[in-house]
Amino acid sequence: MSDGRVSVVSKVAVVTGAGSGVGRAVALELLEAGWSVVLAGRREEALAETARLAGGGPPAPVVPTDVADPERVDALFAAVRERFGRLDLLFNNAGSFGPRGVPLEDLAYEDWRSVVDTNLTGAFLCARAAFRLMRDQDPRGGRIINNGSLSAHVPRPDSVAYTATKHAITGLTKSLSLDGRRYGIACGQIDIGNAATEMTERMSAGVPQASGEVVAEPVMDVADVARTVRHMASLPLEANVQFATVMATAMPYIGRG
């Protein structure tokens, strides 16, 4: 039974949002499994720290990138092409929740636009660039895994921008899956609930529920998310995990709302 490790000839992955949280955990998991991983994100120092945490093996290239900027995204994938000549995996992970606890009627247009630009437009721009590279390389094909969220299914209070973009990511995933068939490109989505990262630290202290109560929620080890992504990435292109939900077992998702 395969443990998800790649062959001696290293496969190449791009991980966006690799400077912290889920992105960092997935990047380190792939590096440990033998992948060559390009670390992309806004904060160069955080990306460099991810590279340092990887320890032995060839250094992971760090490419500071704002995924909402088409020119920066094109430069990222041009760097991948120049260095490796191909791309086997894009983990479309970069994202922003936006301001917390702001009611819809008080949400500024600029804050809405910032979340949409990062979560949705950024994911599209990276997927488009990955498609172009995967389409033209030999052998052709590759895989894209989008980071959705349980918010791709049900919202939390006062999360309209984040929830709307994560619902849209599901549509993006389905479109990429369909349009990628002719190029041998597979696309799946992982929907994550309460992985223990900087983004979810507040869960243990208590977060608003649909009832109006503030309740502490359980979290899970982010390493379990990383292992799931590695499994999805390790499948042959003839097989695909279309949607996977990985969540803290006792969190209020089933029955939420």
Side-chain angles (χ1 to χ4, degrees):
M1 182 175 178
S2 172
D3 66 353
R5 293 184 179 273
V6 296
S7 62
V8 175
V9 178
S10 180
K11 291 188 177 181
V12 180
V14 168
V15 176
T16 66
S20 63
V22 169
R24 172 176 284 176
V26 168
L28 294 176
E29 182 72 19
L30 292 173
L31 285 163
E32 185 179 352
W35 290 68
S36 295
V37 181
V38 178
L39 307 175
R42 292 182 180 178
R43 298 174 297 148
E44 185 170 5
E45 289 185 4
L47 296 174
E49 177 61 19
T50 300
R52 284 192 292 271
L53 289 171
V62 167
V63 184
T65 306
D66 179 354
V67 298
D69 183 333
E71 292 184 358
R72 298 291 295 275
V73 170
D74 287 345
L76 165 65
F77 286 87
V80 174
R81 184 193 298 270
E82 180 177 355
R83 176 154 183 166
F84 296 104
R86 67 174 294 106
L87 176 66
D88 298 288
L89 172 69
L90 165 64
F91 182 43
N92 236 343
N93 167 72
S96 170
F97 192 88
R100 298 184 184 277
V102 177
L104 181 151
E105 63 272 21
D106 295 329
L107 184 67
Y109 168 77
E110 293 77 14
D111 291 328
W112 162 270
R113 183 62 184 269
S114 177
V115 174
V116 172
D117 285 351
T118 299
N119 294 6
L120 180 56
T121 303
F124 159 73
L125 291 173
C126 290
R128 184 180 66 175
F131 253 55
R132 291 169 174 170
L133 183 48
M134 293 172 176
R135 175 196 63 192
D136 296 339
Q137 64 195 13
D138 184 20
R140 173 185 272 188
R143 189 181 306 275
I144 297 171
I145 300 174
N146 292 326
N147 187 347
S149 170
L150 295 193
S151 291
H153 303 269
V154 291
R156 289 187 179 276
D158 300 329
S159 66
V160 63
Y162 185 78
T163 297
T165 58
K166 291 305 184 178
H167 274 66
I169 288 295
T170 299
L172 179 68
T173 297
K174 292 177 179 179
S175 288
L176 295 177
S177 295
L178 180 59
D179 294 343
R181 288 177 184 173
R182 59 183 175 267
Y183 304 128
I185 299 172
C187 183
Q189 179 171 317
I190 183 166
D191 295 325
I192 303 165
N194 288 13
T197 66
E198 299 93 327
M199 195 178 198
T200 60
E201 285 179 350
R202 64 195 185 102
M203 299 298 177
S204 298
V207 289
Q209 306 293 308
S211 64
E213 296 178 281
V214 174
V215 176
E217 295 187 9
V219 296
M220 65 174 175
D221 192 336
V222 70
D224 293 320
V225 175
R227 283 191 286 269
T228 303
V229 173
R230 188 184 80 171
H231 168 69
M232 295 169 72
S234 71
L235 293 173
L237 291 178
E238 293 76 21
N240 187 43
V241 176
Q242 187 67 67
F243 293 98
T245 300
V246 184
M247 54 177 271
T249 303
M251 70 172 291
Y253 165 56
I254 302 300
R256 190 158 103 187

